[in-house]
Amino acid sequence: MTSILVMSMFASSAYGQSVPTLGYKILPEKMLENTEGILQVYVLDDGKMIPKKIDQLVVTSSDSSILQILESENDPNGFVTNVHVKAVSPGTAKIALASHGFLSAEFTVQVYTNNNHPTQIFVKTTPSDFPIDGPKKGYVSVEIATVDGLPTKASADFEVSISTPNSDVIDLESDKLVIKKGEYFAIGEFTIKNSGDALIYADVTGMK
């Protein structure tokens, strides 16, 4: 079966007068112990992403024995900061984001243990909203999960087919992603071509 994610792409000509907030999205959304992920940080104004650079971003973990903050880098446009994180052991940790001129943010990350068979596949994108004058690159991830929706590692390589009926809006870098044995997610890229709404479909035989 197929997992669907709708991404809204929109043009914006003016931004609100409120203090911008640090927005974020972590890939994969649910993390397993002894794996790494990417935390993407960007600027939100009135709940929408805006093309504004973040200088001297500070990212901290409340418990590095559960979740560690690794290196970070900016995307080519400089509007998104990619922070690499490592899930060390099962448990809960809080991540705090701070930078001068922006409202800070804090959120909780749950790290899971791996002990189940995969039956589902999820599709995520980051960011999910794009201003037309913002970054032109986005990330799409596919994640395998148990019947209860918890992440679980692959016992063999999984080839996932991804596609979009909206090729006038986005361009997928590849139509296949491979979740390697011992991993539970894979990440690809797409390029923004025009404003509009887009769908991304993922399919693996025997999964929904």
Side-chain angles (χ1 to χ4, degrees):
M1 296 184 68
T2 302
S3 231
I4 303 174
L5 181 69
V6 178
M7 301 177 300
S8 298
M9 320 293 180
F10 59 90
S12 59
S13 58
Y15 309 124
Q17 300 301 314
S18 59
V19 178
T21 302
L22 293 176
Y24 58 86
K25 194 164 191 178
I26 193 165
L27 293 175
E29 194 171 72
K30 295 179 179 179
M31 299 195 69
L32 286 178
E33 60 180 325
N34 299 317
T35 63
E36 293 186 9
I38 296 176
L39 169 65
Q40 290 204 316
V41 184
Y42 41 86
V43 180
L44 296 176
D45 191 21
D46 291 332
K48 296 181 175 62
M49 181 184 176
I50 62 173
K52 189 176 181 68
K53 294 184 178 181
I54 304 171
D55 294 321
Q56 298 180 329
L57 175 67
V58 178
V59 184
T60 57
S61 169
S62 64
D63 192 337
S64 59
S65 68
I66 295 174
L67 190 71
Q68 295 178 354
I69 309 299
L70 305 178
E71 71 277 2
S72 63
E73 71 272 343
N74 292 328
D75 74 348
N77 293 301
F79 301 137
V80 178
T81 301
N82 296 315
V83 182
H84 296 262
V85 296
K86 182 177 182 180
V88 181
S89 60
T92 301
K94 290 185 177 181
I95 291 181
L97 308 174
S99 181
H100 181 70
F102 304 101
L103 292 178
S104 59
E106 184 179 82
F107 61 98
T108 299
V109 175
Q110 178 76 43
V111 176
Y112 298 90
T113 188
N114 180 59
N115 56 8
N116 289 292
H117 180 71
T119 59
Q120 300 184 79
I121 188 163
F122 298 112
V123 184
K124 311 288 182 182
T125 63
T126 184
S128 55
D129 296 323
F130 289 81
I132 197 64
D133 53 352
K136 299 301 181 184
K137 286 282 188 181
Y139 292 84
V140 54
S141 74
V142 289
E143 308 168 21
I144 52 175
T146 67
V147 67
D148 296 320
L150 299 178
T152 187
K153 292 181 181 179
S155 58
D157 288 0
F158 277 85
E159 185 175 84
V160 183
S161 298
I162 59 173
S163 61
T164 178
N166 310 108
S167 57
D168 57 324
V169 178
I170 61 172
D171 182 32
L172 297 172
E173 183 182 69
S174 174
D175 61 359
K176 294 187 184 299
L177 295 175
V178 177
I179 302 175
K180 297 290 188 180
K181 179 180 178 180
E183 300 290 337
Y184 65 103
F185 70 98
I187 297 177
E189 295 183 1
F190 59 88
T191 303
I192 305 300
K193 298 172 66 177
N194 292 296
S195 61
D197 294 334
L199 298 174
I200 293 181
Y201 298 89
D203 182 71
V204 174
T205 302
M207 289 192 182
K208 59 181 181 178

